[in-house]
Amino acid sequence: MDFNLTTEQQQIRYEIKKVCREFPDAYWRAIDSKKEYPEAFVRKLSELGWLAALIPEEYGGTGLGITEASIILEEINHSGGVATACHAQMYTMGTLLRHGNEEQKKRYLPKIATGELRLQAFGVTEPDAGSESTRIQTSATRQGDKYLINGQKIFISRVLQSDLMLLLARTTPYDELKDKTRGLSVFIVDLREAKKTLDVKPLDLMINHHTNALFFDNVEVPVENLIGEEGSGFRYIIDGWNAERILVAAEAIGDGRWFVERAAKYATERIVFGKAIGSNQGVQFPIAKAYANIEAADLVRFQASTKFDRKEKCGAEANLAKYLASEAAWEAANACLTTHGGYGFAAEYDVERKFRETRLLTIAPVSNNLVLAYLGQHVLGMPKSY
Ligand SMILES: Cc1cc2nc3c(=O)[nH]c(=O)nc-3n(C[C@H](O)[C@H](O)[C@H](O)COP(=O)(O)OP(=O)(O)OC[C@H]3O[C@@H](n4cnc5c(N)ncnc54)[C@H](O)[C@@H]3O)c2cc1C
């Protein structure tokens, strides 16, 4: 496989780097300390069309592939920013693109492409189901030409910053199902209309991701907002998992490169005991080791994204990439923090912020244990562990 970037891909990298220079460390630091949403950054990316990367040209997007989308997210994190503020549009887009009907695509995609509508919220996780998504209980009950949604979700990000949310809800009770992966359906919830019956409670978390607990009390969703067939929603979500894992891997690679570059620079400039701390192998080797692991993970990421864009099976590669990249980024984060000594804890160095942000990637949107479970069962053929 040839992983050399095409001229167009190199140009995308260059353009994203250029935009990100307008949003330096100080911007992200202030956003983080005030727990704000990076509105100006997201608006700018939308105006330039980058968040419409995965929307086909016929609906007003740029019709790029996962490889290009992953380069966009990677460079945001590499610049010192955090792509999670706007990645959901790319993560969730596939469900609407692959399973939405023509009317839904025409209704939403052109406006999402221009930034007029924001689809940055994706509601799956529930307190009692956790990683076992087929156990979710939030229900969608058909009543005439609408569904009534009732229940509770946890850790749902960017609900207050979005116009639309993709929601996974139960349309058949769990006990009535032979196949437990059925009975769930995906809806587009118009958050502007749902406000009165949807209670959004922001959560105070270690990172600034605008994450909430949601309480649905007869939230009305018109039947025309059901995506695809009733009962097939979990399959639609699974269809998006490879893309999601590749995009997370790219974000982790971006973080990893940021940590390694910052660590190498600081290690070269900081003089203690009369010499640069980076001349000590105890400081230099952990940085070099993290660098090696990030570069290796990056190759698997491009292998996965190339196969994805060629429409080849890539479950193994996508899961490998997500696992390797998020672990390598976390290793780089630790090396960078250690290299900075006490200054690693000072907000003005940005290391502690990025440290917190990158830690999430080993847990969400899917925890690395479940990624290993995929590799163990589906790639290595071992017995199911859950
Ligand atoms: C900042 C943030 C933002 C988020 N945003 C969203 C969002 O926008 N939308 C959304 O739907 N969700 C979101 N999530 C939720 C996230 O996807 C979940 O937290 C994650 O999938 C893990 O689920 P859980 O927290 O319930 O952990 P649990 O499922 O309770 O797992 C706890 C631990 O046990 C391990 N574990 C569980 N079962 C097994 C097993 N069989 N084998 C081995 N290990 C196992 C897990 O790996 C994990 O380490 C967000 C979470 C955070 C923290």
Side-chain angles (χ1 to χ4, degrees):
M1 254 182 200
D2 178 7
F3 298 143
N4 288 323
L5 296 189
T6 63
T7 311
E8 187 193 14
Q9 289 166 345
Q10 287 173 25
Q11 187 65 25
I12 291 171
R13 203 186 272 291
Y14 171 81
E15 294 296 335
I16 300 295
K17 276 183 193 288
K18 200 165 84 181
V19 186
C20 288
R21 275 198 289 275
E22 293 173 36
F23 299 89
D25 291 346
Y27 172 79
W28 293 104
R29 203 181 306 139
I31 291 279
D32 182 63
S33 75
K34 293 184 210 152
K35 297 202 176 223
E36 285 175 355
Y37 184 69
E39 187 62 45
F41 177 73
V42 175
R43 203 172 323 118
K44 181 87 187 191
L45 279 193
S46 302
E47 279 165 14
L48 294 171
W50 294 118
L51 295 186
L54 294 177
I55 299 179
E57 283 173 293
E58 58 181 305
Y59 301 109
T62 32
L64 297 170
I66 279 291
T67 302
E68 288 79 13
S70 78
I71 292 170
I72 295 170
L73 299 183
E74 176 197 336
E75 281 309 324
I76 295 171
N77 279 26
H78 187 187
S79 79
V82 57
T84 34
C86 53
H87 68 185
Q89 200 143 298
M90 295 190 186
Y91 283 18
T92 51
M93 195 57 69
T95 307
L96 180 56
L97 280 177
R98 276 188 298 272
H99 306 290
N101 60 35
E102 201 47 38
E103 189 278 321
Q104 289 167 336
K105 292 186 205 174
K106 283 193 179 135
R107 182 156 33 120
Y108 293 117
L109 292 178
K111 287 186 180 163
I112 294 173
T114 59
E116 194 182 326
L117 284 180
R118 214 178 259 168
L119 170 60
Q120 292 289 0
F122 188 27
V124 175
T125 308
E126 294 190 8
D128 294 333
S131 302
E132 193 178 4
S133 306
T134 52
R135 281 273 185 187
I136 63 160
Q137 291 167 10
T138 294
S139 62
T141 312
R142 176 97 186 236
Q143 204 175 78
D145 59 357
K146 57 183 184 266
Y147 284 88
L148 293 179
I149 316 282
N150 283 288
Q152 188 182 343
K153 297 266 172 197
I154 188 87
F155 297 131
I156 310 305
S157 303
R158 298 167 299 276
V159 176
L160 296 172
Q161 291 76 26
S162 294
D163 303 298
L164 306 171
M165 170 172 68
L166 222 61
L167 177 77
L168 186 69
R170 177 164 298 290
T171 36
T172 307
Y174 188 83
D175 295 339
E176 290 175 21
L177 294 164
K178 270 201 194 118
D179 176 353
K180 304 296 184 193
T181 63
R182 299 203 50 88
L184 300 173
S185 304
V186 177
F187 299 90
I188 301 175
V189 178
D190 192 322
L191 293 163
R192 298 161 301 175
E193 287 167 13
K195 271 187 185 128
K196 279 188 198 138
T197 45
L198 176 63
D199 191 10
V200 182
K201 293 239 181 306
L203 300 169
D204 191 6
L205 301 185
M206 187 171 111
I207 43 170
N208 178 35
H209 276 209
H210 313 279
T211 306
N212 311 280
L214 305 184
F215 301 88
F216 298 79
D217 180 15
N218 280 328
V219 173
E220 292 185 8
V221 176
V223 280
E224 60 264 26
N225 284 23
L226 169 74
I227 293 192
E229 272 176 26
E230 189 183 290
S232 299
F234 188 64
R235 184 162 57 78
Y236 302 160
I237 300 290
I238 289 180
D239 279 355
W241 278 353
N242 286 340
E244 186 184 86
R245 282 153 174 63
I246 294 167
L247 294 171
V248 183
E251 289 176 40
I253 301 280
D255 277 345
R257 294 217 161 106
W258 186 92
F259 285 119
V260 165
E261 287 163 14
R262 289 292 167 112
K265 183 168 184 292
Y266 190 81
T268 307
E269 291 170 356
R270 172 75 170 158
I271 309 290
V272 181
F273 295 110
K275 60 179 187 173
I277 55 169
S279 60
N280 300 299
Q281 292 179 344
V283 176
Q284 187 182 103
F285 285 6
I287 303 170
K289 196 164 158 252
Y291 170 73
N293 286 330
I294 286 157
E295 292 306 307
D298 198 33
L299 288 177
V300 183
R301 164 266 186 116
F302 276 117
Q303 188 187 24
S305 72
T306 305
K307 281 184 138 190
F308 186 99
D309 286 332
R310 286 185 192 160
K311 301 192 178 7
E312 293 171 18
K313 280 193 171 169
C314 64
E317 292 81 359
N319 278 279
L320 278 169
K322 193 277 178 186
Y323 176 78
L324 294 172
S326 61
E327 295 290 339
W330 180 231
E331 181 186 7
N334 277 296
C336 187
L337 190 94
T338 306
T339 301
H340 279 76
Y343 298 94
F345 293 81
E348 66 175 296
Y349 281 77
D350 299 292
V351 176
E352 62 83 32
R353 172 176 60 83
K354 293 284 280 181
F355 184 88
R356 287 183 277 115
E357 287 167 359
T358 214
R359 185 65 176 83
L360 178 71
L361 302 178
T362 62
I363 304 279
V366 59
S367 102
N368 278 355
N369 271 3
L370 291 195
V371 173
L372 290 173
Y374 177 93
L375 295 173
Q377 289 153 34
H378 297 283
V379 181
L380 301 175
M382 289 190 278
K384 196 168 175 174
S385 65
Y386 53 85

